[in-house]
Amino acid sequence: MTGKPDAGLYIDPPTHHFLGDRLFDSATVPFGGDDILAPYRCIREAFAARGIPVHTADKIHKAPASQRKLYVSMGRIPPFEALAGRSDVVLSAFFAMECPIVEPSLYRALPRVGRHVKRIFSWSDSASLARFTGEPVPVEPFRWPQCFDAIHEGIWANRDRKFLVMINGNKLPRLYWQELYTKRLEAVEFFNRHGEIDLYGRNWDDVPNRVGKTWTPWTLRRLHDRLRRLRQRLWPDPLYVAARQANRGPAESKSRTLGSYTFAICFENMILKGWITEKIFDCLYAGTVPVYWGDPEIQGAIPPECYIDMRLFKGFAELREFLHALGPDEIQAYRDAARHFLESPAYDPFRKETFRDIFRRLMAEDLGVEV
């Protein structure tokens, strides 16, 4: 095909906050991570070079009727019936971006979603998700796209580092099956006894926010929060007392904050096959050795020489002993392994360019347009 194709890509973002094309603007999430929206800009720039506009899905209703429109959702569930009735729209794909204990309602809806879209993408597999979906849902694999292609040289080279850090907000999951929110708190409480951990994140001076969607009225949620604050004052939870003591406020830059420490507690939200987010990569970019817990098959995606596997220890006391016993050469070996991994083809599945190529494939397969 030559010339400018009469086609457009419309991406429904993970939440409504990214509508109005804010999905492609790094200023949208000033505290969400370092350049966290880079994968979406990568898609938009590649398509623009071919003359194909890329917008968020709210723009689809104002697009020319003659334009063929490829619709992709990043986790929002739209009124599929209305879109399915349009001859100019192809419901191409749905990406399940969040984990099941954060958004269980999304996974309960996946069987219905699968009846409308051509394909569902997941970082896990159908068998591992079945307890959340209620029935087998065919999924195609993808890896969580990362924002950077290499280490942050200036930050990585920093040798003046403190001992241990953790970066997480004060949150609670919707479900507690295989969750690691509690383990993160336990890690902070243990290392805080020794004055050896700094905690960065938002909302640690208040009761935790419960993540995910809820139909509970706002007035009841406010009342519940007041009761939880009262309970904390009367019967303080030692885990949250320690977290407040260790808290150093928000991290204005994840990279610079991590780059000030030798080790980082790097626990995913839950233990589930394939669930590898940006957390471990943030550490690798900064030259910080992650203490990882999450994907039970992490060693198949990231070489074990790059991180410390929390599953190898009976508890935090044994982990602490191990960390203090590491010499400079052993610590450097973890850092060098991380650099080598990020420079190797083994990192390719996580590159934003690989994520972009999925959208190229969707456009070619569903609209016959090569990007």
Side-chain angles (χ1 to χ4, degrees):
M1 181 181 292
T2 59
K4 181 179 177 181
D6 192 10
L9 171 62
Y10 295 85
I11 302 176
D12 218 342
T15 76
H16 69 278
H17 304 91
F18 297 102
L19 293 171
D21 281 352
R22 289 187 291 274
L23 183 65
F24 315 103
D25 183 358
S26 59
T28 302
V29 195
F31 304 110
D34 297 346
D35 207 16
I36 198 170
L37 298 179
Y40 298 102
R41 289 203 311 277
C42 181
I43 295 168
R44 196 181 209 194
E45 290 165 3
F47 276 61
R50 183 69 177 86
I52 301 171
V54 178
H55 297 288
T56 49
D58 53 309
K59 306 281 188 178
I60 201 169
H61 303 292
K62 297 181 180 180
S66 60
Q67 182 192 69
R68 294 178 297 160
K69 305 166 185 68
L70 195 78
Y71 170 89
V72 177
S73 174
M74 306 311 298
R76 272 167 44 95
I77 301 176
F80 281 120
E81 292 79 4
L83 289 172
R86 294 181 52 166
S87 60
D88 60 330
V89 176
V90 175
L91 299 177
S92 179
F94 185 95
F95 285 78
M97 297 293 285
E98 194 49 90
C99 72
I101 66 168
V102 170
E103 286 291 5
S105 62
L106 183 153
Y107 288 85
R108 291 194 297 269
L110 279 189
R112 177 172 67 87
V113 170
R115 291 191 284 271
H116 291 283
V117 299
K118 288 179 172 290
R119 52 187 78 79
I120 294 175
F121 286 89
S122 172
W123 34 263
S124 192
D125 57 35
S126 182
S128 300
L129 298 175
R131 69 177 296 122
F132 303 104
T133 59
E135 62 183 77
V137 176
V139 296
E140 294 190 29
F142 83 106
R143 289 294 192 184
W144 192 287
Q146 302 305 310
C147 302
F148 303 103
D149 294 324
I151 65 168
H152 307 311
E153 287 285 357
I155 295 172
W156 192 91
N158 178 32
R159 291 292 188 271
D160 183 18
R161 294 174 179 248
K162 290 174 277 187
F163 181 60
L164 182 64
V165 68
M166 189 177 86
I167 302 179
N168 280 105
N170 187 13
K171 300 176 182 179
L172 292 174
R174 285 276 147 199
L175 301 178
Y176 282 85
W177 185 81
Q178 296 287 67
E179 59 91 14
L180 290 174
Y181 288 78
T182 304
K183 292 300 181 183
R184 291 196 291 239
L185 283 171
E186 291 175 0
V188 171
E189 192 279 330
F190 175 84
F191 284 100
N192 186 63
R193 293 180 215 164
H194 305 277
E196 292 180 336
I197 190 167
D198 290 337
L199 170 64
Y200 290 85
R202 296 184 172 276
N203 201 46
W204 287 107
D205 58 348
D206 200 354
V207 293
N209 293 322
R210 194 170 298 280
V211 295
K213 296 183 178 67
T214 177
W215 299 109
T216 305
W218 174 243
T219 52
L220 291 181
R221 280 183 280 161
R222 288 184 63 187
L223 176 60
H224 186 234
D225 285 347
R226 288 175 184 171
L227 292 174
R228 288 196 297 160
R229 292 185 186 103
L230 177 61
R231 181 176 179 177
Q232 277 284 7
R233 286 197 298 270
L234 297 177
W235 302 285
D237 185 330
L239 296 180
Y240 287 99
V241 171
R244 284 191 288 273
Q245 291 173 350
N247 185 234
R248 304 294 179 260
E252 293 186 6
S253 164
K254 280 188 178 182
S255 298
R256 288 195 297 272
T257 300
L258 287 167
S260 299
Y261 294 84
T262 301
F263 304 106
I265 297 295
C266 179
F267 296 174
E268 303 285 8
N269 291 343
M270 71 178 301
I271 300 169
L272 193 62
K273 180 181 177 182
W275 181 241
I276 306 173
T277 66
E278 80 289 348
K279 292 179 175 64
I280 189 169
F281 293 99
D282 288 337
C283 296
L284 303 185
Y285 299 138
T288 304
V289 181
V291 179
Y292 183 82
W293 199 356
D295 181 3
E297 299 183 3
I298 180 72
Q299 67 278 3
I302 302 176
E305 297 81 15
C306 299
Y307 57 89
I308 296 167
D309 192 334
M310 183 63 208
R311 296 173 297 174
L312 301 178
F313 305 95
K314 295 178 182 178
F316 294 117
E318 192 173 292
L319 170 66
R320 179 174 182 263
E321 183 179 351
F322 176 83
L323 295 181
H324 280 290
L326 289 173
D329 291 343
E330 293 167 301
I331 294 170
Q332 188 62 34
Y334 284 109
R335 290 159 43 85
D336 290 340
R339 178 196 280 269
H340 177 73
F341 164 65
L342 294 173
E343 293 173 349
S344 75
Y347 179 57
D348 289 350
F350 297 95
R351 295 188 189 279
K352 58 183 179 292
E353 291 81 7
T354 302
F355 186 61
R356 171 205 63 196
D357 289 346
I358 294 176
F359 288 77
R360 283 175 162 170
R361 174 169 70 85
L362 299 180
M363 183 64 72
E365 290 180 357
D366 293 349
L367 293 187
V369 176
E370 298 293 335
V371 180

